[in-house]
């Protein structure tokens, strides 16, 4: 991103340099034409036409080069710039040779550094300034030592001609330089003003994006609560606390949630009952059983009546802030209906210490959160109803099974089936009976590894027992027992799992 900004600024600088070069070339063509006429008029009167032409040929040639450079746009920016710099240096040197140090050559030598600084940058401007200074010093030495004589000293033009010609040249060069620099400076001032305006807009947009990001973060923070909690009281309490924390940046200090009263007496006025609120004030209101009537005098009541979000204070007549000494910090309030599947379940009230704290974006985010809360509440309510119905069905089923098995056992005399391996004596049945009773009492598999006949002996008085309860739809209807009478043993997990699977099939078969 930073690289892109730098590239844009470089492009802007280059574009302004190109515009400046174009304006300078145009001004040079016009000023050069005027300078040729002035130069012609200031030549000594005794010169013939051919002598005048000879004196002006270099000026005319330079002017023609400038004219071609201005008209020929295909030369490119760098080429046109260097042509102007070289011509300006050549003109300054020529004027020096022609008129000595007292002439206007020193004025012309001021133009190249200024042009190089503007068109090529600081480095080229400094080199150009050094070159102009060097040229001036060299010609100063040459003229002072008599090594070079001026071609047409000022004295040859007379006092009036010298002042006229050199003064016009000075004024012309100075005017062109000042005007072009002023134009370039104004362009930069305009660019800076545009950049400043753009920067302010960028800052405003950045603040808006930060605000939007904060609001989206608040929505994201509330979403897990709505999706992970099905307990109604826990859901509502966590939601209001989370909203207060996430919107603290706009001065929110109190959040409350109302649900429509479904237990009102017939003919009574319907109201919304406070079910969750933040802070000690909210706890006080909940203990008092705070209710809000469904009318147009409060933000909550109006939002339930019109099924839309309501701001308070509002331009709409009758919408005022709550007149409650416990909420005296409230300067703005928004009430939002809880809408789930086309049904209004209640309303969410968010109060702030700031005036006009809720802009359209905040209202949109809060309404989305309110709808999400409503759907979550509806789901939790349906889950609770389904769970209650399921528990009721399970209870009825257990009663039915108990009664059915009681009737079955009363009719059928046989309630126990044993299989004993031929030639094996089972010995005492006390251990087997105790294991069965333990399996029924604890409703789980019971395993014993056998009781030795003597302390430290290897013989077994009563073998290992594995007792598995027969479970049918949550009801214990009997047991399946395995009895090892010959030796002690430890029942493996695979053996217990197999016995439990067989017990499940036996229960279904018996049923």
């Amino acid at each position: 991103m930073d690289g892109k900004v730098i590239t844009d600024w470089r492009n802007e600088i280059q574009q302004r340099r190109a515009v400046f070069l174009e304006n300078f070339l145009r001004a040079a063509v016009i000023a050069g034409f005027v300078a040729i006429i002035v130069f012609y008029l200031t030549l000594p009167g005794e010169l013939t036409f051919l002598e005048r032409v000879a004196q002006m040929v270099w000026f005319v040639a330079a002017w023609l080069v400038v004219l071609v450079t201005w008209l020929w746009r295909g030369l490119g920016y760098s080429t046109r710039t260097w042509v102007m710099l070289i011509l300006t240096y050549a003109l300054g040197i020529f004027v020096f040779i022609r008129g000595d140090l007292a002439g206007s050559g020193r004025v012309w030598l001021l133009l190249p550094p200024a042009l190089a600084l503007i068109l090529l940058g600081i480095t080229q401007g400094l080199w150009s300034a050094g070159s102009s200074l060097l040229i001036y010093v060299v010609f100063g030495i040459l003229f002072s030592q008599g090594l070079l004589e001026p071609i047409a000293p000022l004295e040859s033009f007379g006092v009036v001609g010298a002042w006229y010609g050199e003064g016009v040249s000075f004024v012309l060069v100075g005017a062109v330089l000042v005007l072009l620099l002023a134009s370039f400076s104004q362009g930069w001032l305009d660019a800076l003003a545009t950049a400043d305006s753009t920067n302010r807009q960028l800052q405003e947009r950045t603040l808006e994006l930060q605000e939007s990001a904060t609001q989206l973060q608040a929505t994201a923070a509330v979403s897990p609560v709505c999706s992970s909690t099905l307990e109604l009281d826990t859901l509502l309490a966590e939601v209001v606390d989370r909203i207060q924390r996430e919107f603290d940046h706009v001065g929110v200090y109190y959040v409350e949630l109302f649900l429509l009263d479904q237990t009102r007496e017939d003919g009574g006025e319907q109201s919304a009952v406070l079910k969750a609120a933040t802070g000690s004030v909210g706890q006080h209101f909940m203990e008092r059983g705070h209710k809000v009537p469904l009318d147009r005098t409060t933000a909550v009541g109006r939002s339930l009546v019109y099924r839309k979000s309501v701001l308070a204070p509002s331009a709409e007549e009758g919408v005022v802030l709550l007149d409650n000494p416990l909420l005296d910090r409230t300067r703005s309030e928004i009430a939002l209906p809880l809408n789930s599947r086309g049904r209004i379940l209640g309303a969410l009230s968010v109060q702030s210490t700031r005036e006009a704290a809720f802009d359209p974006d905040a209202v949109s985010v809060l309404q989305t959160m309110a709808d999400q809360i409503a759907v979550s509440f509806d789901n939790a309510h349906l889950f609770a109803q389904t769970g209650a119905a399921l528990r009721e069905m399970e209870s009825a089923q257990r009663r039915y099974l108990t009664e059915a098995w009681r009737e079955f056992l009363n009719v059928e005399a046989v309630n126990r089936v044993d299989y004993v391996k031929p030639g094996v004596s089972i010995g005492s049945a006390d251990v087997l009976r105790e294991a069965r009773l333990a399996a029924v009492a604890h409703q789980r598999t019971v395993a014993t590894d056998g009781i030795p006949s003597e302390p430290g002996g290897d013989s077994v008085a009563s073998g290992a027992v594995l007792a598995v309860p027969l479970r049918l739809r949550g009801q214990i209807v009997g047991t399946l027992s395995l009895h090892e009478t010959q030796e002690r043993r430890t029942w493996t997990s695979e053996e217990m799992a197999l016995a439990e699977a067989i017990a499940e099939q036996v229960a279904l078969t018996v049923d």
Side-chain angles (χ1 to χ4, degrees):
M1 181 176 179
D2 294 338
K4 183 178 185 299
V5 173
I6 293 174
T7 303
D8 291 342
W9 272 103
R10 287 178 176 174
N11 293 336
E12 179 69 18
I13 292 173
Q14 192 59 36
Q15 290 175 4
R16 293 193 175 277
R17 283 175 173 173
V19 172
F20 175 80
L21 177 61
E22 183 69 20
N23 294 334
F24 183 82
L25 289 172
R26 185 186 299 110
V29 170
I30 298 173
F33 182 75
V34 175
I36 291 173
I37 296 175
V38 172
F39 181 65
Y40 181 82
L41 295 176
T42 58
L43 288 173
E46 64 272 10
L47 295 178
T48 64
F49 176 76
L50 293 178
E51 291 174 340
R52 290 174 179 270
V53 172
Q55 290 279 344
M56 297 175 56
V57 63
W58 296 108
F59 286 100
V60 175
W63 181 80
L64 290 176
V65 172
V66 174
L67 180 63
V68 172
T69 304
W70 176 51
L71 297 176
W72 191 1
R73 309 295 174 82
L75 284 176
Y77 175 80
S78 298
T79 303
R80 300 172 82 189
T81 301
W82 282 108
V83 167
M84 286 301 305
L85 289 176
I86 293 173
L87 285 177
T88 307
Y89 271 120
L91 181 59
I93 293 173
F94 176 77
V95 174
F96 257 129
I97 296 175
R98 182 175 177 274
D100 201 351
L101 294 177
S104 59
R106 54 191 173 182
V107 178
W108 289 102
L109 288 179
L110 294 176
L111 281 177
L115 290 175
L117 182 65
I118 294 174
L119 298 176
L120 297 177
I122 296 177
T123 303
Q124 289 78 2
L126 294 176
W127 278 104
S128 180
S131 301
S132 295
L133 180 61
L134 180 62
I135 292 172
Y136 186 83
V137 171
V138 169
F139 276 101
I141 294 174
L142 292 176
F143 283 124
S144 63
Q145 298 298 321
L147 300 177
L148 184 64
E149 294 293 334
I151 298 174
L154 292 178
E155 293 79 3
S156 63
F157 294 94
V159 177
V160 177
W163 277 100
Y164 182 71
E166 299 303 325
V168 170
S169 179
F170 177 80
V171 171
L172 185 62
V173 173
V176 171
L177 184 60
V178 170
L179 290 175
L180 291 177
L181 289 176
S183 174
F184 189 73
S185 299
Q186 185 61 42
W188 276 108
L189 290 176
D190 295 339
L192 290 175
T194 302
D196 182 65
S197 176
T198 303
N199 185 48
R200 287 197 300 269
Q201 294 177 0
L202 181 61
Q203 290 178 348
E204 293 174 358
R205 185 56 180 165
T206 301
L207 291 177
E208 292 177 358
L209 291 176
Q210 289 177 348
E211 185 73 17
S212 299
T214 302
Q215 293 171 355
L216 291 177
Q217 182 180 1
T219 304
V222 173
S223 296
V225 177
C226 296
S227 60
S228 62
T229 306
L230 290 176
E231 293 293 333
L232 293 179
D233 294 338
T234 303
L235 171 64
L236 299 181
E238 291 186 4
V239 161
V240 294
D241 288 338
R242 189 63 62 89
I243 292 175
Q244 179 186 346
R245 290 198 302 268
E246 297 299 332
F247 283 87
D248 179 69
H249 63 284
V250 293
V252 171
Y253 80 103
Y254 181 70
V255 181
E256 55 187 0
L257 191 148
F258 293 85
L259 295 179
L260 289 177
D261 187 4
Q262 305 295 337
T263 61
R264 64 184 178 90
E265 298 180 359
D266 295 338
E269 183 181 7
Q270 189 175 14
S271 60
V273 182
L274 182 64
K275 291 297 183 180
T278 58
S280 58
V281 176
Q283 185 65 29
H284 171 73
F285 285 154
M286 291 183 62
E287 292 175 354
R288 199 177 66 181
H290 180 60
K291 295 183 179 181
V292 173
L294 270 64
D295 55 27
R296 299 171 178 81
T297 60
T298 64
V300 172
R302 184 177 284 266
S303 69
L304 292 171
V305 171
Y306 291 105
R307 305 167 68 95
K308 66 177 184 179
S309 60
V310 174
L311 288 170
S314 172
E316 299 180 14
E317 183 179 358
V319 181
V320 296
L321 290 172
L322 290 176
D323 185 14
N324 193 311
L326 298 179
L327 299 174
D328 56 349
R329 297 173 57 195
T330 300
R331 295 295 178 270
S332 58
E333 177 188 7
I334 181 171
L336 309 112
L338 302 179
N339 189 343
S340 175
R341 303 176 180 91
R343 296 187 304 112
I344 300 298
L345 305 180
L348 176 68
S349 173
V350 182
Q351 301 183 32
S352 172
T353 57
R354 301 181 185 178
E355 295 183 359
F358 306 104
D359 58 16
D361 292 336
V363 173
S364 178
V365 171
L366 285 170
Q367 185 60 68
T368 301
M369 294 172 61
D371 294 339
Q372 187 178 12
I373 294 169
V375 173
S376 300
F377 171 79
D378 207 7
N379 291 339
H381 185 64
L382 292 175
F383 176 79
Q385 289 181 335
T386 303
L390 181 60
R391 288 190 294 272
E392 185 177 352
M393 289 179 58
E394 291 176 346
S395 177
Q397 186 181 43
R398 284 194 296 269
R399 291 196 300 270
Y400 168 76
L401 287 175
T402 301
E403 184 65 25
W405 276 98
R406 184 180 296 111
E407 294 178 358
F408 171 76
L409 294 176
N410 289 334
V411 173
E412 298 290 337
V414 178
N415 57 6
R416 171 175 170 177
V417 176
D418 292 330
Y419 168 77
V420 180
K421 186 177 180 180
V424 175
S425 175
I426 63 175
S428 174
D430 293 339
V431 174
L432 182 60
R433 183 174 60 256
E434 291 177 358
R436 289 171 176 168
L437 293 176
V440 173
H442 298 292
Q443 297 187 8
R444 61 180 178 84
T445 301
V446 174
T448 64
D449 56 0
I451 300 175
S453 58
E454 296 179 1
D458 294 332
S459 61
V460 178
S462 180
V465 176
L466 178 64
V468 183
L470 298 178
R471 189 188 307 274
L472 183 62
R473 301 183 185 91
Q475 183 74 20
I476 304 298
V477 297
T479 58
L480 173 67
S481 302
L482 304 177
H483 190 188
E484 173 62 66
T485 61
Q486 300 297 324
E487 59 186 7
R488 300 181 63 184
R489 65 172 297 169
T490 300
W491 301 94
T492 65
S493 58
E494 290 79 5
E495 291 172 334
M496 288 189 289
L498 178 60
E500 289 172 352
I502 295 174
E504 182 179 355
Q505 294 299 320
V506 170
L508 292 176
T509 302
V510 173
D511 186 45

